[in-house]
Amino acid sequence: MEALERALRDTVDGEVRFGDGDRALYATDASNYRQVPIGVVVPHTVEALAETVSVCAEHDVPVVHRGGGTALAGQTCNVAVVIDSSKYCNRVLSVDPERRVAVVEPGVVLDDLQAAVRPHGLRFGPDPSTHSRCTLGGMIGNNSCGVHSLAYGRTVDNVEALEIMTYDGLTMTVGRTSPDERAVLQAEGGRRAEIYDALAGIAEANAGRIRDVFPDIPRRVSGYNLNQLLPENDFNVARALVGSESTCVTILRAHLKLHPEPPCKVLVVAGFKDVCRAADEVPFIRTFNPLGCEGIDFRLTEFMRKKALHVEELELLPEGCAWLLIPLGGTDRAEACGRAEELLDALRGRPDFTAGRVVADPSQQDRIWEVREAGLGATAFVPGAARDTWPGWEDSAVHPDRLGEYLRALLNLYDKYGYDASVYGHFGEGLVHTRIDFGLSTKDEVATFRAFLEDAAHLVVGMGGSLSGEHGDGQARGELLPIMFGDDLVRAMEAFKHAWDPGNRMNPGKIVHARPLDADLRLGPRFTRPEEKALDPQFAYAGSDHSIVREFSRCVGVGKCRQMRGGTMCPSYRGTHEEMHSTRGRAHLLQEMLQGDPVRDGWNSPDVWEALDLCLACKACKRECPVDVDMATYKAEFAYHYFKKRWRPRAAWSMGQIHRWTRLAEPVPWLANLATQTPGLTRIAKAVAGIHAERALPAMARRSFRRSWRGTRGAGQRVVLFADTFNNHFTPPPLHAAAEVLEAAGCRVEIPARNICCGRPLFDFGFLDQARTTLRGVIEALRAAVDDGAFVVGVEPSCMATLKDEMLNLFPDDADARRLSDRSMMIGDFLAEHTDWQPPRQTGQAKVFAHCNQHALFGAAGDKTMLERAGLEVDVLDAGCCGMAGSFGFEHDKYTVSQTILEDRLLPEVRALDGARLVATGFSCREQLVQATGTMFPSLPEALKGERHE
């Protein structure tokens, strides 16, 4: 392995990673399986990707290709060299609108391809729910499908040609092959002719069986596509390789078919009495030629409500216990709506239909699609479930005409095994998604899992269906292929792989010669669960039954944190494009820490801290991750243990302890400013404090807010204004404005009798003992006021989020802490919910940029309401993270990433304001923006007073 690593470093233009942390990071994907790789290579170019395979071949070492890492059948984890093409090999090389063909590298994310072809009125047809992070190489490997494959087909139907490389170094372009072309190849001889002769022999020897056994259904994904080698399919070698899960060849480039995008789309949402009856209507609905037909059952919506996931969007569904989402297209809105109304009128005459609606507004359509796309995450880690849910039988498919029959039989099989699961999926093509509570922790659970899968395989095959209709076979279903195809065709598939990869070095153990479906389980009986007490958890983890092991196991690999458009999660990944800086990557490393191999250092692991150190603690994952991964808390927990035996970085003592330094400097702010604002001295101060030389240090106010406070005022609802450390000492105007606004709203405003701090910066560096003491002081200081019915209102989101989140996680059984948390509110929410105050009248547009912690725990609805009361036209920006995040943007080694995050989405929005006023709700956000633009943007209370930025 040392020789291999050295050869890769000497030869490959890319990142060669053989460290324990790198190997642990890629040990699993979104499946049940875990196999620690030999090493990881991240090639800079497609040529380097090919060179990586060549070097591995010289050392006779297996390889596996990986894109977005969202595979559900174990395809992208193996004891092999993992080649990750997603970071660099991700270009759209060309788009030919006339021929409707795009040429891409394997690491291109589907949404990026769609963005590139959309200006031409085109689209790539298949669009799985992971479209924001899945790569085209992965889609080709798995033969992905998605919502609109009813109209546009599977990936196999949309591949025109592939530029490939075999393990032994042959490169060629493959596609349709005429008899004349095959004759020329045969005459040329050599390795290519040898492969084509073997493929022709397989097709000719098995043609009858292939035609008889391969199910004639829209969603057959299981097995190799031997049918594409038949004469009626033009001996299409490219399409025969689609779905081969990197077990045969390396894809260097792909030539893809594009489709015209309907100018207008509308959505019919139809409710039914139950999911089986909804499925019965699918053949009727297909006669209306929809673009898709997606099914959802009531269990999925029930799980989403339990997890507080897209609850507002669920209200858009009509009455019913199951729903079909049916998109239709048209040349204009009138035509599309006409087709939709025609379908809805026809459904109203069906006996099992309950209610329906036509949704023409694109934004509302997007919101409803979020419900469907959240399916996998919503069905994982369900609160209150007796056992955890897992994939394994998550994408079986039958002919749409038999879907209702199959669903009833499948639900009966669940009952037989005592399983509880939601069903949803691409009903228009007969595909059922489900995530079953297999448990998979004990030997008995694993034995039952195996027995169920064998019964389920016989069930779906008996109905003429496919084990997999979208996610592929991998290790999850490879062992079951003889049930579907028979031993003879499985031998033919083994011969197909052998033609390309005679040494079995391309992703071995998947599809054919498959490892057992109950081997290599991520958390199976082989996993030795660490003792909770020995781990000494500092937080309560109430949502995981007070188990840190269960909490750290929460991530199931959905990978939504890797998306580059929309939302806020995960800003550090967007800044680095590194898997270890995604929420999923960090979560997987923590899981590997519990495994104890290859991450053997437990809480002392520098590999884990390297990944966590770049977490901004933005909390976006707490809101946007479908399984509620809470990386800010995990970072604080790990830092607490990690720094028991290490000296904390300088920024921990300067920025992490800022509440102490500001209190000391409060009587003499001029002295602090002398050190931080004077050239020469400020360079020394920044060097000592671990702050980047390019970062300006904010000046302390001449008089803090508390020192300039005029005393309790007003006579109405009692409100304690939380004077946070940042605004109190550096920018008092937002607090003064808040006091004035609250008084104008009829409140009796006061501040705590003594200077208190929530201690938010302490968490980032693991000062949890201090944080606990600090928050205990806050609880005691505010107890009497809260008991008297006061609200605690703040202007700084990170501080109010600490009272809502960290405080309860440290004091889960403290009634005083619970009452304080319940009575703590952001000022916008308080004004909107508890007053009818009308702010001074203003005109124009306002754009709200909500601090990440506010976005995660409060949202910006209250801010929007209050600005609209002032007469403004309000837009809440979806502009990601500002990149400052408290101390993060100041730290020497994080400054560059901070600026990259700022430039990603927020700064372009600021440059495009065009006369609109920007309201920035967080101190960090305003500080980041003033240093980047020279403009100090107002907080919400300042904006409500009518103050504009300067």
Side-chain angles (χ1 to χ4, degrees):
M1 293 307 102
E2 290 178 4
L4 170 66
E5 180 182 0
R6 187 164 53 251
L8 287 168
R9 291 189 187 281
D10 291 344
T11 308
V12 172
D13 176 19
E15 299 164 10
V16 178
R17 306 171 178 179
F18 274 59
D20 288 343
D22 300 306
R23 295 167 58 230
L25 193 63
Y26 287 82
T28 189
D29 45 22
S31 72
N32 300 340
Y33 301 99
R34 174 184 177 271
Q35 292 175 285
V36 179
I38 294 166
V40 179
V41 178
V42 185
H44 288 157
T45 64
V46 167
E47 290 72 26
L49 189 159
E51 192 63 48
T52 302
V53 176
S54 295
V55 172
C56 289
E58 290 170 9
H59 290 76
D60 195 29
V61 171
V63 299
V64 57
H65 292 283
R66 178 166 168 139
T70 57
L72 286 158
Q75 297 97 321
T76 56
C77 57
N78 212 325
V79 182
V81 172
V82 175
I83 305 174
D84 183 349
S85 62
S86 65
K87 187 176 181 181
Y88 299 113
C89 302
N90 53 17
R91 294 181 299 163
V92 177
L93 298 171
S94 66
V95 176
D96 186 337
E98 300 300 320
R99 292 177 54 237
R100 296 179 183 169
V101 172
V103 181
V104 303
E105 294 177 338
V108 171
V109 169
L110 176 57
D111 274 2
D112 292 341
L113 172 61
Q114 303 290 33
V117 304
R118 192 173 295 117
H120 303 289
L122 300 172
R123 62 164 293 146
F124 184 66
D127 54 349
S129 61
T130 53
H131 53 83
S132 63
R133 60 269 193 199
C134 68
T135 64
L136 267 298
M139 291 181 66
I140 293 166
N142 285 359
N143 194 7
S144 298
C145 304
V147 170
H148 292 97
S149 57
L150 178 59
Y152 305 119
R154 302 159 296 167
T155 296
V156 68
D157 305 310
N158 290 276
V159 169
E160 293 293 295
L162 294 175
E163 298 176 38
I164 62 169
M165 175 181 172
T166 62
Y167 185 79
D168 52 11
L170 175 67
T171 58
M172 56 180 168
T173 299
V174 297
R176 294 179 178 86
T177 316
S178 69
D180 290 344
E181 290 171 320
R182 284 171 55 192
V184 170
L185 287 172
Q186 193 169 24
E188 290 176 350
R191 175 77 170 110
R192 186 175 182 182
E194 178 186 307
I195 292 171
Y196 273 70
D197 285 347
L199 300 183
I202 292 167
E204 290 165 8
N206 296 280
R209 284 284 290 157
I210 292 170
R211 293 185 181 105
D212 290 344
V213 174
F214 273 56
D216 184 19
I217 60 175
R219 285 296 194 92
R220 195 277 307 159
V221 167
S222 277
Y224 291 128
N225 290 324
L226 301 184
N227 58 320
Q228 293 293 338
L229 300 176
L230 299 179
E232 57 265 35
N233 291 319
D234 301 322
F235 199 79
N236 196 320
V237 177
R239 293 186 177 183
L241 286 168
V242 173
S244 58
E245 301 176 4
S246 82
T247 61
C248 296
V249 299
T250 293
I251 297 170
L252 302 177
R253 299 172 189 87
H255 300 240
L256 306 172
K257 182 166 79 174
L258 305 173
H259 298 267
E261 180 84 286
C264 184
K265 287 186 285 188
V266 298
L267 182 64
V268 173
V269 187
F272 295 87
K273 293 177 181 177
D274 67 51
V275 70
C276 297
R277 296 181 187 186
D280 291 337
E281 297 298 332
V282 166
F284 174 73
I285 291 168
R286 282 171 58 98
T287 64
F288 289 80
N289 298 315
L291 298 172
C293 180
E294 300 294 293
I296 296 173
D297 77 344
F298 81 97
R299 297 304 310 280
L300 180 64
T301 62
E302 180 182 90
F303 293 164
M304 293 178 78
R305 287 193 168 91
K306 284 183 177 180
K307 302 178 76 168
L309 185 64
H310 298 304
V311 174
E312 293 181 0
E313 284 71 26
L314 292 177
E315 301 306 315
L316 299 173
L317 299 177
E319 177 188 352
C321 289
W323 298 268
L324 296 179
L325 313 181
I326 312 161
L328 298 106
T331 55
D332 55 29
R333 179 166 175 160
E335 181 187 350
C337 287
R339 294 187 62 207
E341 292 292 353
E342 180 184 359
L343 171 58
L344 194 55
D345 285 344
L347 287 173
R348 289 189 179 104
R350 312 293 286 189
D352 298 315
F353 175 80
T354 54
R357 55 183 301 222
V358 173
V359 182
D361 178 58
S363 64
Q364 280 209 352
Q365 291 182 50
D366 290 343
R367 291 176 64 194
I368 293 172
W369 282 121
E370 286 178 1
V371 174
R372 168 60 188 85
E373 290 179 2
L376 193 157
T379 53
F381 225 91
V382 179
R387 295 182 300 266
D388 288 335
T389 62
W390 294 96
W393 194 251
E394 76 283 355
D395 66 325
S396 55
V398 296
H399 194 281
D401 290 352
R402 302 192 70 178
L403 180 60
E405 177 188 2
Y406 174 60
L407 274 180
R408 290 178 177 91
L410 182 61
L411 293 174
N412 286 336
L413 192 62
Y414 289 169
D415 290 341
K416 172 184 173 181
Y417 279 90
Y419 289 145
D420 182 24
S422 167
V423 292
Y424 59 100
H426 310 294
F427 280 16
E429 294 167 284
L431 183 137
V432 179
H433 283 319
T434 184
R435 193 175 176 97
I436 302 170
D437 58 337
F438 293 124
L440 298 187
S441 295
T442 67
K443 289 183 179 180
D444 288 345
E445 286 176 341
V446 172
T448 304
F449 165 71
R450 167 175 279 280
F452 169 84
L453 290 183
E454 291 172 352
D455 279 356
H458 285 290
L459 170 64
V460 75
V461 170
M463 291 191 176
S466 176
L467 309 178
S468 172
E470 181 160 40
H471 297 151
D473 298 316
Q475 187 169 342
R477 286 169 285 275
E479 189 185 355
L480 301 172
L481 289 180
I483 296 173
M484 179 172 172
F485 293 104
D487 292 338
D488 56 342
L489 283 184
V490 169
R491 285 193 294 271
M493 291 177 187
E494 291 169 354
F496 179 84
K497 174 177 169 60
H498 187 269
W500 298 103
D501 177 34
N504 192 24
R505 285 294 179 261
M506 296 296 297
N507 203 12
K510 316 294 178 177
I511 303 183
V512 295
H513 309 298
R515 288 182 58 75
L517 59 86
D518 52 358
D520 310 312
L521 294 174
R522 188 197 302 197
L523 293 176
R526 50 148 293 280
F527 173 59
T528 303
R529 183 186 177 98
E531 289 290 334
E532 297 278 341
K533 189 174 181 180
L535 290 171
D536 187 27
Q538 296 300 295
F539 291 101
Y541 304 115
S544 295
D545 302 324
H546 301 281
S547 166
I548 191 172
V549 176
R550 180 170 164 79
E551 180 66 34
F552 280 9
S553 303
R554 183 176 287 274
C555 176
V556 294
V558 176
K560 188 179 179 184
C561 47
R562 285 174 55 102
Q563 67 183 26
M564 300 297 290
R565 290 180 169 86
T568 302
M569 178 180 68
C570 173
S572 52
Y573 175 77
R574 296 185 188 200
T576 67
H577 296 199
E578 279 285 346
E579 173 70 10
M580 75 169 171
H581 295 141
S582 68
T583 304
R584 180 182 72 183
R586 294 179 176 118
H588 279 177
L589 279 174
L590 287 166
Q591 292 172 11
E592 289 298 313
M593 181 189 81
L594 299 178
Q595 298 276 353
D597 182 24
V599 177
R600 302 177 181 88
D601 304 324
W603 290 123
N604 296 311
S605 170
D607 292 314
V608 178
W609 177 246
E610 181 186 2
L612 289 169
D613 188 32
L614 218 61
C615 170
L616 286 82
C618 68
K619 297 181 183 287
C621 51
K622 193 173 179 71
R623 178 184 181 94
E624 296 178 19
C625 173
V627 291
D628 305 319
V629 166
D630 183 3
M631 196 53 62
T633 297
Y634 305 168
K635 177 183 180 181
E637 178 80 64
F638 187 88
Y640 169 82
H641 299 279
Y642 185 72
F643 288 115
K644 281 183 176 181
K645 297 182 179 180
R646 285 175 172 80
W647 186 253
R648 287 178 171 84
R650 286 167 291 165
W653 303 101
S654 59
M655 304 295 291
Q657 300 282 344
I658 195 168
H659 64 295
R660 297 182 184 275
W661 307 129
T662 51
R663 286 180 188 176
L664 287 173
E666 186 174 24
V668 285
W670 59 269
L671 185 58
N673 290 338
L674 180 68
T676 62
Q677 308 300 311
T678 305
L681 291 179
T682 188
R683 284 198 298 273
I684 296 171
K686 285 189 278 191
V688 170
I691 293 171
H692 196 277
E694 297 298 315
R695 179 63 74 188
L697 296 174
M700 288 192 70
R702 289 196 304 167
R703 293 186 70 202
S704 68
F705 169 74
R706 290 184 60 85
R707 287 184 172 238
S708 55
W709 169 250
R710 293 189 289 113
T712 302
R713 46 195 176 179
Q717 168 65 52
R718 186 179 179 185
V719 170
V720 178
L721 180 59
F722 193 89
D724 62 277
T725 294
F726 301 105
N727 287 298
N728 179 40
H729 293 289
F730 296 102
T731 56
L735 288 169
H736 284 297
E740 294 173 29
V741 164
L742 289 166
E743 183 182 12
C747 299
R748 178 159 61 95
V749 185
E750 60 187 73
I751 64 174
R754 57 187 176 86
N755 193 349
I756 57 175
C757 175
C758 72
R760 172 61 251 178
L762 296 169
F763 289 87
D764 294 332
F765 299 99
F767 290 112
L768 295 188
D769 291 334
Q770 290 185 41
R772 194 176 282 105
T773 301
T774 300
L775 278 173
R776 172 57 65 194
V778 172
I779 295 168
E780 292 174 356
L782 298 176
R783 180 190 292 115
V786 169
D787 288 347
D788 190 44
F791 285 95
V792 178
V793 174
V795 300
E796 178 51 39
S798 61
C799 297
M800 304 314 292
T802 302
L803 301 186
K804 282 288 184 187
D805 187 15
E806 281 88 352
M807 183 173 66
L808 294 183
N809 214 348
L810 286 176
F811 303 106
D813 302 318
D814 190 308
D816 292 328
R818 175 66 61 184
R819 281 193 296 273
L820 173 56
S821 176
D822 291 343
R823 303 292 285 185
S824 296
M825 302 186 73
M826 289 297 300
I827 187 169
D829 294 334
F830 173 79
L831 291 170
E833 295 174 23
H834 296 283
T835 78
D836 56 5
W837 178 62
Q838 295 294 322
R841 200 71 184 163
Q842 303 177 51
T843 59
Q845 288 185 312
K847 295 183 181 291
V848 177
F849 180 69
H851 185 286
C852 293
N853 286 182
Q854 178 174 350
H855 163 76
L857 292 172
F858 302 101
D863 302 46
K864 185 174 189 290
T865 296
M866 293 311 301
L867 290 167
E868 287 175 340
R869 283 190 195 177
L872 294 166
E873 183 181 335
V874 184
D875 178 27
V876 177
L877 292 178
D878 179 14
C881 175
C882 76
M884 183 65 92
S887 66
F888 184 93
F890 285 90
E891 294 178 54
H892 182 272
D893 56 345
K894 300 181 176 73
Y895 175 79
T896 301
V897 175
S898 170
Q899 296 304 102
T900 302
I901 295 168
L902 171 66
E903 284 282 359
D904 177 40
R905 290 161 68 205
L906 177 56
L907 211 51
E909 288 278 7
V910 172
R911 295 184 183 121
L913 283 174
D914 193 25
R917 66 193 73 185
L918 178 72
V919 180
T921 67
F923 172 87
S924 291
C925 312
R926 295 191 295 274
E927 186 64 30
Q928 178 81 307
L929 287 171
V930 74
Q931 294 199 26
T933 68
T935 299
M936 176 59 80
F937 293 96
S939 63
L940 177 68
E942 291 171 297
L944 291 176
K945 287 179 59 186
E947 298 176 14
R948 296 294 301 267
H949 53 69
E950 300 173 0

